[in-house]
Amino acid sequence: MIRFFLLQNRQGKTRLSKWYVPPPTTPGGSTPEAEKVRIESEVHRLVTSRDKKYTNFIEYNNYKLIYRRYAGLFFTIAVDLADNELSYLETVHLFVELLDSYFSNVCELDIVFNFNKVYSILDEYILAGEIEETSKKEILERVKVLDKVE
């Protein structure tokens, strides 16, 4: 099961953050939002400082981080320890393909200025931490139907 999905740039700005499971509570009593910010910055630090000769999988707390870098953006998924890493690496790749198809050669500015569209594409692809649909054509058709409704 997917715990959270993050999209961050090289400077550490989180461009997309979708949490499917609330973050674990700490004994310090911090709010869930503060805990999310702390985890996001820690994930960014781990992913950006990692040498390219290592795999794109990191064990972090009670889950596994699967990440991939496209241009200046890091796409990171946190999943359960027993889940298949390669299938989630493909999940990241398909999401990038979906964005690229929808925005025709996506860039960071497309994500910043059309964040609501990015979230709707993600919601058509992943629902409640589980992959809902794997057909790129089907997902893009659903998003285009939603565009017509708006």
Side-chain angles (χ1 to χ4, degrees):
M1 179 179 174
I2 298 173
R3 302 296 179 149
F4 58 82
F5 191 105
L6 296 177
L7 176 54
Q8 299 171 311
N9 65 11
R10 279 183 278 188
Q11 291 76 32
K13 289 266 191 198
T14 300
R15 298 302 185 189
L16 176 131
S17 172
K18 183 78 171 184
W19 290 76
Y20 298 103
V21 176
T25 57
T26 57
S30 63
T31 65
E33 289 304 315
E35 190 63 20
K36 286 178 185 179
V37 170
R38 186 191 66 76
I39 290 172
E40 288 172 11
S41 66
E42 201 168 321
V43 165
H44 178 265
R45 184 185 53 75
L46 285 169
V47 168
T48 56
S49 65
R50 192 162 167 95
D51 196 356
K52 291 181 182 174
K53 68 181 177 181
Y54 297 119
T55 64
N56 292 9
F57 317 125
I58 303 171
E59 285 194 23
Y60 172 76
N61 289 348
N62 293 333
Y63 33 83
K64 213 179 297 182
L65 299 175
I66 292 106
Y67 70 93
R68 189 135 185 210
R69 179 180 173 188
Y70 289 93
L73 296 171
F74 290 91
F75 293 77
T76 308
I77 296 181
V79 298
D80 295 330
L81 287 171
D83 287 352
N84 184 346
E85 300 96 346
L86 294 177
S87 67
Y88 286 107
L89 203 55
E90 280 298 313
T91 299
V92 169
H93 184 70
L94 180 58
F95 183 64
V96 171
E97 285 183 354
L98 287 167
L99 293 176
D100 204 43
S101 296
Y102 185 81
F103 292 109
S104 59
N105 204 6
V106 70
C107 68
E108 186 175 351
L109 288 176
D110 291 324
I111 294 166
V112 169
F113 292 118
N114 300 297
F115 67 92
N116 54 345
K117 270 300 146 209
V118 176
Y119 276 106
S120 71
I121 292 169
L122 184 61
D123 289 342
E124 288 297 325
Y125 182 30
I126 300 171
L127 184 66
E130 299 291 337
I131 297 170
E132 178 183 15
E133 179 65 60
T134 57
S135 167
K136 183 164 73 167
K137 180 182 169 205
E138 185 70 29
I139 294 169
L140 290 173
E141 284 176 4
R142 288 183 192 171
V143 171
K144 287 179 181 160
V145 166
L146 289 173
D147 286 348
K148 289 178 184 175
V149 171
E150 293 174 355

